[in-house]
């Protein structure tokens, strides 16, 4: 899932530390590097973009990749929609995690062989990856406290009967302190 890297619309917490233009620049280059790393014949890479108009207008992303709109709603509604409409086992990742490698994606898909869902936890209580074997139930991601230390636990709570696996814990970049680690 990607936001069009416009200053003031992407990585705003990082932007408060380094400036909105610099934060958007970082996100654009981080996302491009991630897409190059993960463009792999073992899976189909699809870009779920926001705002929806960027599906047609953005020239920032590789043209050979399928683009779909994220649609309206909070993060949970947008992720649940992608998990419902995309075929087969599906994994969703954010683009602001510099440490993601193809090995992590393979581990997530392998976990879906014996589990209903998989999460890639983040140290801050959120997650960098969510994957599901089957389309989600309607309550998926309802009442999740996004951007808090409770996001992963709240998300798991919306899947009471699911067999859930976890893969590697990876960090995202939200602040200048996070950026300095990479």
């Amino acid at each position: 899932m990607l936001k069009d890297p416009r200053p003031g619309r992407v990585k705003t917490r990082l932007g408060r530390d380094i400036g909105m233009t610099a934060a958007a620049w970082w996100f654009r280059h981080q996302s491009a590097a991630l897409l190059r790393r993960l463009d792999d014949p073992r899976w189909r890479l699809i870009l779920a973009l926001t705002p929806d108009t960027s599906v047609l207008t953005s020239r920032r992303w590789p043209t050979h990749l399928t683009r779909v709109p994220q649609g309206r709603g909070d993060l949970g509604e947008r992720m649940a929609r992608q998990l419902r409409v995309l075929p087969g086992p599906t994994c969703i990742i954010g683009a602001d995690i510099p440490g993601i490698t193809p090995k992590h994606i393979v581990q997530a898909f392998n976990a879906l062989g014996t589990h209903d869902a998989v999460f890639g936890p983040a140290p801050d209580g959120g997650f960098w990856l969510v994957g599901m074997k089957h389309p989600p139930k309607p309550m998926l991601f309802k009442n999740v406290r996004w951007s808090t230390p409770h996001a992963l636990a709240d998300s798991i709570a919306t899947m009471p009967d699911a067999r859930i696996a976890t893969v590697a814990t990876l960090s995202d970049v939200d602040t200048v302190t996070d950026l300095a680690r990479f």
Side-chain angles (χ1 to χ4, degrees):
M1 293 186 73
L2 284 168
K3 284 185 178 181
D4 199 25
R6 298 179 194 170
R9 305 251 345 214
V10 64
K11 304 310 301 172
T12 55
R13 283 192 292 172
L14 178 62
R16 286 192 292 269
D17 293 337
I18 67 171
M20 296 299 174
T21 300
W25 181 91
W26 177 84
F27 183 75
R28 185 177 73 234
H29 289 277
Q30 158 58 30
S31 299
L34 179 68
L35 293 174
R36 283 191 302 275
R37 238 183 359 264
L38 297 184
D39 197 359
D40 191 297
R42 293 176 286 182
W43 49 75
R44 184 172 172 211
L45 195 57
I46 298 172
L47 306 180
L49 300 173
T50 190
D52 292 351
T53 56
S54 63
V55 169
L56 300 174
T57 60
S58 180
R59 294 184 181 100
R60 302 183 201 297
W61 314 120
T63 56
H64 72 284
L65 297 177
T66 301
R67 301 165 189 222
V68 297
Q70 288 183 21
R72 295 180 182 253
D74 70 14
L75 178 60
E77 291 169 311
R78 291 180 285 130
M79 287 192 301
R81 182 178 304 111
Q82 298 307 317
L83 290 166
R84 272 193 302 278
V85 300
L86 296 176
T90 301
C91 289
I92 295 174
I93 62 168
D96 62 346
I97 302 92
I100 300 174
T101 67
K103 177 182 167 189
H104 295 114
I105 304 304
V106 168
Q107 290 170 345
F109 278 115
N110 285 344
L112 289 175
T114 55
H115 295 82
D116 302 311
V118 61
F119 283 93
D124 63 5
F127 53 93
W128 61 270
L129 174 142
V130 59
M132 295 192 78
K133 188 186 302 191
H134 305 290
K137 296 187 172 158
M139 293 310 293
L140 182 68
F141 301 131
K142 298 292 182 190
N143 301 315
V144 172
R145 293 170 283 179
W146 299 109
S147 300
T148 74
H150 309 286
L152 176 58
D154 288 353
S155 296
I156 289 172
T158 69
M159 305 177 183
D161 301 323
R163 294 169 298 153
I164 298 173
T166 58
V167 292
T169 299
L170 297 176
S171 297
D172 63 351
V173 173
D174 289 323
T175 65
V176 73
T177 304
D178 300 333
L179 187 58
R181 284 195 308 250
F182 296 101

